[in-house]
Amino acid sequence: MAEGQFQTKEEDKKDVGPLKDRGCTDIICILIFIIFLGGMGVIAYFAFTLGDPWRILNGYDSFGNTCGVKNTKPENVTATLAGRDMTDYPYLMYFDPTVMLPDSLNTLNTGETTPKEFSMMLCVKKCPDVNVYPVPVEGLGGDFYRMWTYNKYKNEGQDFCEYDFWTTYGEEVGKKMDEISELTGLSGLDDKFRDVNYISETSSGPCPKYVIKSDPILSRCIPMFEELSDEIKGYFGSTLINDLETKLNALLGTDVSASQVMQYAMADVMNSYREIAVMCGSSLIISFIIILLLGWIAQIMIYAISILAAVACIAGPAYFWYVWYQAKEKLDQQTIKLESQIDNVETLMIYAIIITVICVVVLLLIIFLRSRVGLMVTLFKEAGFMVMRMIVILFTPIILALFILAWAALWSFVSGYIYTAGTATNLEFPREFTETVLSAAEKNITMVYYKDHDYIIWVWLYHLFGLYWGTEFFLACHEMAIAGAFCQFYWTRDKRKVSFPVLRGIWWVFRYHLGTVAFGSCIIAIIQLIRTILAYIQNKTKDSQSEIVKYLLMCLQCCLWCFEKVMKFINRNAYIYTAFKGSNFCTSCKKVFGLLMSNLVRVGVINCVGSFILFIGKFLVVMITGILGYFMLSKDEQIEYWAIPVLIASIFAFAVAHTFFSVYEIGIDTIFVCFAEDETKNDGTAGREYYMSKNLMQWVDNSSEALKNLKRKKGQQRAQAKAAKAGKSGEVEMDEK
């Protein structure tokens, strides 16, 4: 530690400035957090043992086989078609596309023994590129057309029927259809070869009722309605088409009719990756420049907003009173006055009175709080000065983002295993046919579904809470580390002697205060979990709630949201207090709450106006990036939808700006808390000099005396420096003699 940094031993005894000799805080909380992480590790172990996320990514068929991979038959499963090698069959095809994700057997997990709706699902080499449905053939009525067509496409490499169908109980019909090369040859076939013998009424196979031309999306074969002819749409009917569109919209999260637009948009993104990279890089530079200039920009904007607001408070009521006066004059000149005209004039007067009262209040606030606004401008300048002295602090959010992304990726990875951690279970399903030549054993089919464990809901709650707690833990570590760096600058009299403030702030957090961070982040995580559970209940019961219940749940959700915001505000300031006092979480909350309550007006101005200024800064970054993207892409003839690449770059720009400005925001809050503490502990007299800068000192009540003492002290230091220099010169002259 550099000599002169922080307070002296005497000042340390007076409880002034950052605590030098720290101790670990809230140790029990970090131990609980470690135990909790151990619990998440146990959950991950069992999830890895029982789950397989490829079942989500690739989909799995009606026999438990995951598409695109080699499968092993589960020990407790007897289905003959389970455990197949699907390496060359990467896509999942539904016999009935109206029965889509998560899978057609999901209702069995709620205790039912038979699914409400079912579709045979098979892994295929490629999605269907043809349409197959009962086409009337002259003299035949199309009774054999589908089986003949399925056999034809099977010979060409596209098999739409159940695995091994053509080599088992469909072998005879396959051989018969191989003998027929033209549709006219279907005339006179035996009834046992009719379609209805092999196509069930419940879309459970062994062959589908119809096939729709599809494209692979998310490894699923999704029907593309733009390519359907009017004849085919007429056969399927509007009901089926609408049902398909509804299910596909839920699956894809977009309008199916917009799929072509999506394809163009993705192509535009690929074609404009250089421009997107330039825009993203520009957003970094723009954010950095605005951070450098924010002290001056903030001063200009604050005073401009104040002046505009004052002008609006004067002009607004004047305009409304003028409009009321004009309306009243016009009404008085009329001989016959309608009731509606009288009501309009009275309403205008009421509006004018209300607006006048509001504007007078706002104008008085602007007048009386103008000095407080000046304090905020000074805080912006101080934060800018400190940021420039430790420029490396601007890159700490990047490290934070990497930690959070890694945590989210790990959480998502484990979630994939938890979601698929079901037990493979046999399902005996009776297939229904209008008429069939299949035996009783062939009519029934043994399929496989994955049954959830009874305790899965508690596992999900624990796992979700871990996501919230871990994320808030990283955010809190970052806030406290940044606060520690700013505290070191504030509480050092000679700012030139501050050494490695960012590294020391990080060291303080990880060496002494992880327990405090775990305590505060746990509180936020609990609130977030309660809000999530409440939102889940709202979603599940939205169709069965009365209006009163809906209103109460919305009010409760709003209250929890407000409570979370309040707790985040208290937590941040508690972390700041811990950063320079080394106290535990509860003590820091108590102390900082007292400081904030004694400076309530200042806090209100700084948080309202300051947040607005920071938002304007972020908006400037996004706007400049978007304008740059527009000029780069709007004239490019290869780009169909230039707005998509610009939107992607703008989202990135906002994330970058938010990351950079978060450091500035924490710095302002830290300087203000230190300022309030400094103002409370010191009075500017000899022996109790302020640590704050000369700019901040002007906002203290006894600032004149303090400034005089500061000036006197600096004069003494200069005199001592000159005397020391003169003494050294004299010694040199004596030595020469």
Side-chain angles (χ1 to χ4, degrees):
M1 183 181 299
E3 184 180 355
Q5 188 169 348
F6 311 144
Q7 68 281 14
T8 62
K9 292 182 178 180
E10 291 75 14
E11 290 170 330
D12 197 13
K13 294 177 181 179
K14 297 176 184 177
D15 192 29
V16 178
L19 185 66
K20 183 162 53 177
D21 299 324
R22 295 170 178 264
C24 295
T25 55
D26 300 301
I27 299 176
I28 187 66
C29 295
I30 191 60
L31 293 177
I32 293 173
F33 184 61
I34 293 173
I35 294 172
F36 180 85
L37 292 178
M40 292 190 71
V42 172
I43 289 176
Y45 172 78
F46 284 105
F48 292 153
T49 304
L50 301 174
D52 180 11
W54 288 109
R55 292 206 295 269
I56 300 176
L57 300 175
N58 293 5
Y60 62 95
D61 63 17
S62 297
F63 308 99
N65 300 303
T66 303
C67 300
V69 300
K70 186 175 182 179
N71 295 272
T72 303
K73 187 174 183 179
E75 296 180 357
N76 59 326
V77 166
T78 60
T80 57
L81 298 178
R84 298 173 69 92
D85 185 357
M86 294 297 176
T87 305
D88 297 327
Y89 300 83
Y91 305 113
L92 184 66
M93 185 189 77
Y94 295 81
F95 278 17
D96 182 0
T98 62
V99 183
M100 302 298 288
L101 294 179
D103 62 65
S104 61
L105 301 175
N106 62 323
T107 53
L108 292 177
N109 285 330
T110 61
E112 300 185 11
T113 56
T114 304
K116 293 179 180 178
E117 52 182 1
F118 174 74
S119 169
M120 172 73 76
M121 299 176 293
L122 298 178
C123 298
V124 294
K125 287 186 177 180
K126 67 175 183 177
C127 291
D129 55 7
V130 295
N131 297 303
V132 181
Y133 63 100
V135 177
V137 181
E138 186 177 353
L140 298 174
D143 292 343
F144 306 94
Y145 172 76
R146 284 178 289 178
M147 294 308 298
W148 179 80
T149 305
Y150 291 148
N151 182 71
K152 173 188 172 184
Y153 286 121
K154 180 263 298 182
N155 294 333
E156 295 176 357
Q158 287 194 81
D159 191 357
F160 301 130
C161 294
E162 182 183 299
Y163 309 131
D164 301 336
F165 168 74
W166 301 103
T167 58
T168 54
Y169 48 89
E171 183 177 10
E172 185 179 1
V173 68
K175 290 180 178 179
K176 175 57 67 176
M177 296 302 174
D178 285 339
E179 299 172 359
I180 302 171
S181 58
E182 301 292 339
L183 287 176
T184 54
L186 295 175
S187 178
L189 286 180
D190 192 293
D191 284 350
K192 66 180 181 180
F193 299 120
R194 294 174 64 196
D195 298 341
V196 292
N197 290 304
Y198 306 98
I199 298 175
S200 65
E201 292 297 313
T202 55
S203 297
S204 54
C207 293
K209 294 183 353 182
Y210 54 82
V211 174
I212 301 178
K213 187 182 294 185
S214 307
D215 282 350
I217 299 178
L218 302 177
S219 298
R220 276 76 173 173
C221 296
I222 306 300
M224 294 293 106
F225 298 105
E226 297 91 344
E227 302 178 6
L228 294 182
S229 65
D230 293 336
E231 178 185 354
I232 297 173
K233 290 181 178 179
Y235 165 73
F236 288 131
S238 60
T239 302
L240 176 61
I241 295 295
N242 292 335
D243 194 10
L244 277 170
E245 288 183 342
T246 301
K247 295 294 181 66
L248 293 176
N249 288 340
L251 168 65
L252 301 176
T254 184
D255 189 352
V256 177
S257 62
S259 60
Q260 194 69 24
V261 176
M262 293 175 60
Q263 293 177 9
Y264 283 132
M266 292 303 298
D268 290 339
V269 171
M270 297 300 295
N271 292 331
S272 61
Y273 71 92
R274 294 183 183 87
E275 289 81 0
I276 293 176
V278 171
M279 286 186 283
C280 293
S282 300
S283 66
L284 288 167
I285 299 173
I286 295 166
S287 298
F288 191 76
I289 293 174
I290 292 179
I291 283 288
L292 294 176
L293 302 176
L294 194 57
W296 293 272
I297 293 175
Q299 184 174 8
I300 295 171
M301 291 186 61
I302 289 170
Y303 288 119
I305 291 170
S306 300
I307 293 171
L308 290 174
V311 171
C313 288
I314 297 172
Y319 174 75
F320 267 88
W321 282 114
Y322 174 77
V323 171
W324 169 81
Y325 177 77
Q326 291 287 336
K328 187 175 182 302
E329 285 289 314
K330 185 177 180 180
L331 181 63
D332 291 341
Q333 293 174 3
Q334 295 180 0
T335 306
I336 301 175
K337 302 176 182 178
L338 300 178
E339 187 66 28
S340 59
Q341 294 175 327
I342 297 173
D343 291 341
N344 288 336
V345 173
E346 291 179 352
T347 302
L348 277 173
M349 185 179 67
I350 293 173
Y351 284 167
I353 293 172
I354 293 173
I355 291 174
T356 301
V357 172
I358 293 174
C359 288
V360 167
V361 172
V362 173
L363 190 60
L364 291 174
L365 287 174
I366 292 173
I367 294 172
F368 289 109
L369 296 180
R370 65 186 186 279
S371 60
R372 311 296 183 183
V373 172
L375 171 61
M376 193 191 64
V377 172
T378 306
L379 289 174
F380 268 88
K381 290 183 177 180
E382 289 293 312
F385 165 75
M386 293 185 184
V387 166
M388 291 304 101
R389 292 296 300 271
M390 44 183 181
I391 199 68
V392 70
I393 203 170
L394 290 176
F395 299 97
T396 56
I398 299 176
I399 301 174
L400 169 67
L402 292 176
F403 272 100
I404 292 179
L405 286 175
W407 177 250
L410 177 61
W411 186 89
S412 301
F413 182 69
V414 176
S415 296
Y417 281 91
I418 294 175
Y419 185 80
T420 56
T423 302
T425 307
N426 287 320
L427 173 65
E428 301 292 335
F429 190 84
R431 296 193 278 212
E432 299 177 1
F433 297 84
T434 303
E435 57 181 89
T436 185
V437 295
L438 299 179
S439 65
E442 292 170 338
K443 285 175 61 177
N444 296 330
I445 183 172
T446 301
M447 296 179 294
V448 176
Y449 76 101
Y450 291 90
K451 185 177 181 180
D452 288 339
H453 297 279
D454 295 334
Y455 52 81
I456 194 67
I457 183 63
W458 302 108
V459 171
W460 273 115
L461 287 175
Y462 191 97
H463 192 58
L464 182 62
F465 183 71
L467 172 67
Y468 292 152
W469 196 359
T471 303
E472 291 298 325
F473 180 83
F474 288 126
L475 290 171
C477 285
H478 178 252
E479 289 183 353
M480 188 179 288
I482 297 302
F486 278 96
C487 284
Q488 293 171 60
F489 251 98
Y490 186 96
W491 295 103
T492 302
R493 298 195 183 279
D494 189 352
K495 312 300 182 186
R496 295 171 298 178
K497 294 184 178 180
V498 179
S499 58
F500 305 108
V502 178
L503 292 178
R504 186 173 290 108
I506 295 173
W507 167 252
W508 283 350
V509 173
F510 285 91
R511 172 62 179 86
Y512 301 108
H513 305 308
L514 285 180
T516 300
V517 168
F519 194 168
S521 58
C522 181
I523 295 173
I524 304 299
I526 291 173
I527 299 172
Q528 291 175 340
L529 182 65
I530 295 173
R531 288 187 62 200
T532 302
I533 295 173
L534 184 60
Y536 177 80
I537 295 172
Q538 283 181 287
N539 183 62
K540 286 296 183 180
T541 60
K542 61 183 178 182
D543 297 328
S544 59
Q545 293 174 358
S546 66
E547 293 300 322
I548 297 177
V549 174
K550 288 182 180 179
Y551 178 76
L552 291 175
L553 288 175
M554 290 175 61
C555 290
L556 183 57
Q557 188 71 269
C558 182
C559 292
L560 286 173
W561 179 84
C562 294
F563 183 57
E564 180 182 348
K565 294 299 180 183
V566 171
M567 286 307 305
K568 283 186 174 181
F569 176 76
I570 294 175
N571 278 13
R572 169 176 285 187
N573 287 280
Y575 299 149
I576 293 171
Y577 201 88
T578 298
F580 76 91
K581 282 301 181 184
S583 53
N584 60 43
F585 181 78
C586 293
T587 301
S588 296
C589 286
K590 178 182 176 182
K591 294 286 188 179
V592 82
F593 186 77
L595 282 176
L596 296 177
M597 290 303 295
S598 61
N599 294 272
L600 197 57
V601 176
R602 289 172 172 173
V603 172
V605 172
I606 290 171
N607 281 276
C608 294
V609 183
S611 298
F612 178 74
I613 297 300
L614 292 174
F615 171 78
I616 293 297
K618 299 173 189 177
F619 176 75
L620 283 174
V621 175
V622 175
M623 184 178 67
I624 296 172
T625 303
I627 292 174
L628 176 64
Y630 171 78
F631 283 110
M632 292 174 64
L633 297 174
S634 61
K635 304 298 183 181
D636 193 337
E637 296 180 355
Q638 295 182 343
I639 305 299
E640 293 286 341
Y641 300 98
W642 57 265
I644 301 299
V646 171
L647 176 63
I648 293 173
S650 297
I651 293 173
F652 178 84
F654 181 81
V656 168
H658 181 75
T659 299
F660 276 92
F661 282 77
S662 64
V663 173
Y664 216 96
E665 187 176 6
I666 297 170
I668 291 172
D669 290 341
T670 302
I671 295 171
F672 176 74
V673 171
C674 293
F675 169 78
E677 176 76 1
D678 193 9
E679 187 181 25
T680 302
K681 298 294 184 180
N682 299 310
D683 58 10
T685 59
R688 297 184 61 186
E689 296 87 354
Y690 290 119
Y691 281 83
M692 66 186 72
S693 66
K694 187 188 299 183
N695 292 330
L696 281 172
M697 204 174 293
Q698 61 183 314
W699 304 108
V700 181
D701 294 335
N702 61 339
S703 59
S704 58
E705 183 65 26
L707 288 170
K708 288 180 181 178
N709 291 333
L710 180 63
K711 187 176 181 180
R712 188 184 306 113
K713 187 173 183 179
K714 287 185 176 180
Q716 293 174 353
Q717 291 175 348
R718 284 195 295 269
Q720 291 173 358
K722 289 181 180 179
K725 187 176 180 180
K728 289 182 179 179
S729 300
E731 291 177 1
V732 171
E733 292 177 359
M734 291 292 293
D735 293 339
E736 290 177 353
K737 291 179 179 180

